[in-house]
Amino acid sequence: MSTGPRVSVATICFDGFGDENFEPTFAHAPALGIREIEFNTWYPRNLTPAGLDSVRQRSERAGLRPATLQVSPFAPGPDSADLTRESSRWLWLLEAAERLGVGVIKATGSARGTHGGLDAVIDLLRVIAPIAAERGLTIAVENHANNVLEHPEDYDELFAAIGTPAVGMCLDTGHFAASGHDPVAVAGRFADRLVHLDLKDCAGMVDGAPQFVRFGHGTVDFDATLATAVSNGYTGYLVIELPLIDRATMAADLRAGAELALRHTPDFTSPLST
């Protein structure tokens, strides 16, 4: 049995940032030939018991499988009441992951200077990480530009405080590139804490915001990044995570991402050439 990384695709590729109830995902994802899906559950109905049942049932009908769960950013706040509310939210998110049969929950932080900063995220993880570990779940902490989780030094501080393997890095290639960091170097530096890898390309920052572009149109060296991760033993998901640009070119845009990811999986054969 293959033990290398697997490829999945995020619902943001099909749905964009709006609340589409994942209808574009279920309409278009099966044709891509990648069956494992990261669900971006950013809207209330996505995480209700009925919403989770709907995702599971529609996935089964479409021949897809929920692979990972992305949730709204960590927002613990600076005081104990905020921490209690955020801890309670995460208790339900752990339950939601189990209901969908996924093993990884991904979240980034909030903007720098808000919600208590990185210290508050660490305080939250001290509460919820042992529970995730008991349930066999992994919390993937994702980098974003202009975020409390943005630079390698932020992860140095986080991992110095949180040693459990139930918490690891989600390396977002596009966001690290936007923040001025080489994803290849990051993949090597944090090889022992890398649990999730998001693939998107970036052409830099414009007016303070990352400019995500089609694969091959930005600065990210995907082959070098993935080769570094895999050579260091990475076996998690390679997630195609290009936010929807144009539905007219969506299929071709995502096939390009799938091709570059699949080259780094065991026994590579591509179903995407046609």
Side-chain angles (χ1 to χ4, degrees), residues 2-8 36 197 226-227 229-231 233-239 261-267:
S2 296
T3 58
R6 292 176 290 174
V7 179
S8 67
E36 300 199 77
L197 217 164
L226 298 183
V230 173
S231 67
Y234 180 72
T235 59
Y237 282 103
L238 307 177
V239 186
L262 286 165
R263 287 200 295 268
H264 296 271
T265 60
D267 306 318

Side-chain angles (χ1 to χ4, degrees), residues 188-201:
R189 177 171 172 177
F190 292 98
D192 62 336
R193 297 301 298 264
L194 184 60
V195 297
H196 208 58
L197 217 164
D198 287 351
L199 307 182
K200 62 165 69 78
D201 212 343

Side-chain angles (χ1 to χ4, degrees), residues 17-265:
F17 289 98
D19 180 8
E20 303 291 345
N21 198 28
F22 306 124
E23 291 178 9
T25 293
F26 287 112
H28 298 286
L32 185 62
I34 293 172
R35 300 303 176 190
E36 300 199 77
I37 307 295
E38 176 166 282
F39 282 90
N40 304 107
T41 54
W42 296 325
Y43 295 95
R45 67 172 166 178
N46 302 153
L47 289 167
T48 65
L52 295 169
D53 287 344
S54 174
V55 166
R56 188 181 65 254
Q57 292 162 6
R58 286 185 290 165
S59 295
E60 291 173 357
R61 290 196 296 268
L64 303 174
R65 191 182 80 81
T68 54
L69 198 64
Q70 181 169 15
V71 301
S72 299
F74 298 111
D79 62 38
S80 61
D82 296 321
L83 179 59
T84 298
R85 281 189 290 269
E86 184 69 349
S87 298
S88 299
R89 178 175 79 101
W90 271 88
L91 290 176
W92 174 249
L93 294 175
L94 296 173
E95 173 68 21
E98 291 186 323
R99 291 190 182 204
L100 287 180
V102 308
V104 176
I105 309 174
K106 180 178 78 177
T108 189
S110 300
R112 286 190 179 272
T114 67
H115 296 285
L118 183 57
D119 287 345
V121 173
I122 290 171
D123 288 342
L124 171 66
L125 289 170
R126 286 191 174 112
V127 175
I128 63 174
I131 303 168
E134 289 173 2
R135 298 185 178 198
L137 300 173
T138 300
I139 299 170
V141 182
E142 182 185 8
N143 62 293
H144 268 201
N146 305 317
N147 195 279
V148 68
L149 294 157
E150 179 178 16
H151 304 299
E153 294 75 19
D154 299 323
Y155 285 90
D156 288 335
E157 184 175 348
L158 174 69
F159 293 142
I162 306 294
T164 173
V167 175
M169 171 185 278
C170 170
L171 190 167
D172 186 301
T173 58
H175 275 288
F176 267 128
S179 297
H181 302 290
D182 180 3
V184 180
V186 175
R189 177 171 172 177
F190 292 98
D192 62 336
R193 297 301 298 264
L194 184 60
V195 297
H196 208 58
L197 217 164
D198 287 351
L199 307 182
K200 62 165 69 78
D201 212 343
C202 182
M205 300 280 275
V206 176
D207 296 328
Q211 298 301 297
F212 300 124
V213 294
R214 293 175 174 88
F215 292 103
H217 291 254
T219 64
V220 175
D221 187 337
F222 290 100
D223 281 325
T225 302
L226 298 183
T228 297
V230 173
S231 67
N232 280 288
Y234 180 72
T235 59
Y237 282 103
L238 307 177
V239 186
I240 304 163
E241 204 200 29
L242 173 67
L244 177 65
I245 294 174
D246 184 341
R247 202 168 296 285
T249 63
M250 178 183 70
D253 295 341
L254 297 181
R255 280 199 299 270
E259 289 281 7
L260 67 85
L262 286 165
R263 287 200 295 268
H264 296 271
T265 60

